[in-house]
Amino acid sequence: MSVAHRTLPSGPMVEASELTRLYPSGDEVIHAVQDVDLSIGRGELVAVRGRSGSGKTTLLNLLGGLDRPTTGTVRVDGHEISTMRDDELVGLRRHTIAFIFQAFGLVPILSAAENVEVPLRLVHAEPAARDRRVADLLELVGLGDRIDHRPHELSGGEQQRVAIARALANHPKLLLADEPTGQLDLETGHSIMLLIRSIVRTEAVTAIVATHDPMMLDVADRVVELRDGRLIDPDD
């Protein structure tokens, strides 16, 4: 399958400045993310590592517009998203940002092709173009012969591949993956990580992956670490 390469414009894809997210908890305040400054270039694969509870998921949610910062700003593709209205954020998530979750999130009654098709239907893609995109993406992730299978007929690795194809449906510029290999065995997880690495190149997307998997760290262009909600110097 031939894949059209996207020409990347200049400037960072993601910029976070003094990003902080606080959550009240009884008489205390939880500092989930604290004063994070982060710039991620276009076409870059960045791994965010840290222990459970270090703030990785919160950071991804802030960068993807699923949560709003207590203070600080987030810019994605040159647009300030922390002050966007909810309807503007919906549009952003349909066209610019895509998510891959640890739990796959596939619709059980839909086939692989139908699951990938969902984001295209939401943007009213023309049927013929929609069918081509679905077929191309399932071929890209190695499931061209499994298009009619439902999630329960697929292995965990195959389900995650469908989830990746679905995330790519509307040609996003930014891919956010939260522990994408967390429910997979070692060998399957490694194949998923290599697939994400390949997709960053072929689809010309920027990817941010929250992970504690050392093999994911090996394929990333850059690794940043969160500790107690703060980015730390890798030499510390």
Side-chain angles (χ1 to χ4, degrees):
M1 180 193 70
S2 62
V3 179
H5 290 266
R6 177 188 295 159
T7 300
L8 298 178
S10 59
M13 185 66 213
V14 177
E15 290 180 284
S17 178
E18 299 181 345
L19 197 60
T20 295
R21 184 65 169 101
L22 309 179
Y23 294 102
S25 177
D27 295 331
E28 300 180 350
V29 175
I30 297 173
H31 294 74
V33 170
Q34 301 185 68
D35 299 318
V36 167
D37 293 311
L38 182 63
S39 179
I40 296 176
R42 296 174 187 272
E44 191 175 13
L45 171 55
V46 175
V48 181
R49 71 177 178 184
R51 295 179 179 178
S52 178
S54 62
K56 301 188 303 295
T57 296
T58 300
L59 178 61
L60 287 193
N61 288 344
L62 292 169
L63 298 180
L66 292 177
D67 194 7
R68 296 183 185 272
T70 305
T71 59
T73 60
V74 177
R75 298 181 68 83
V76 174
D77 195 27
H79 303 287
E80 166 62 70
I81 72 167
S82 8
T83 56
M84 280 185 174
R85 302 188 311 269
D86 287 345
D87 61 315
E88 292 175 319
L89 287 171
V90 168
L92 185 81
R93 291 192 293 267
R94 285 184 180 174
H95 298 282
T96 303
I97 302 174
F99 298 86
I100 301 170
F101 301 103
Q102 179 177 333
F104 314 142
L106 302 179
V107 181
I109 62 172
L110 299 183
S111 68
E114 290 166 338
N115 267 282
V116 176
E117 190 179 52
V118 168
L120 294 161
R121 286 187 174 274
L122 290 174
V123 298
H124 308 292
E126 190 270 330
R130 187 174 68 216
D131 291 344
R132 286 193 302 272
R133 181 64 175 162
V134 169
D136 284 350
L137 285 171
L138 287 173
E139 192 69 33
L140 176 68
V141 300
L143 293 177
D145 60 344
R146 309 282 276 173
I147 61 174
D148 295 322
H149 288 67
R150 289 181 169 79
H152 74 275
E153 299 172 311
L154 301 171
S155 68
E158 288 171 333
Q159 289 184 57
Q160 190 62 289
R161 287 172 182 269
V162 174
I164 291 170
R166 180 185 57 190
L168 295 170
N170 288 327
H171 301 279
K173 297 179 180 179
L174 176 62
L175 189 63
L176 300 174
D178 191 2
E179 299 284 2
T181 64
Q183 293 193 23
L184 305 176
D185 62 67
L186 191 64
E187 182 178 352
T188 304
H190 184 58
S191 70
I192 291 297
M193 291 183 290
L194 293 178
L195 175 61
I196 293 173
R197 169 76 273 177
S198 174
I199 284 170
V200 167
R201 292 171 178 157
T202 59
E203 292 279 309
V205 300
T206 303
I208 307 173
V209 182
T211 185
H212 60 272
D213 192 320
M215 285 192 293
M216 186 75 242
L217 306 179
D218 289 341
V219 302
D221 297 315
R222 179 160 55 107
V223 177
V224 299
E225 183 169 356
L226 275 177
R227 188 181 298 168
D228 297 327
R230 294 183 182 273
L231 280 184
I232 64 167
D233 188 302
D235 296 326
D236 284 352

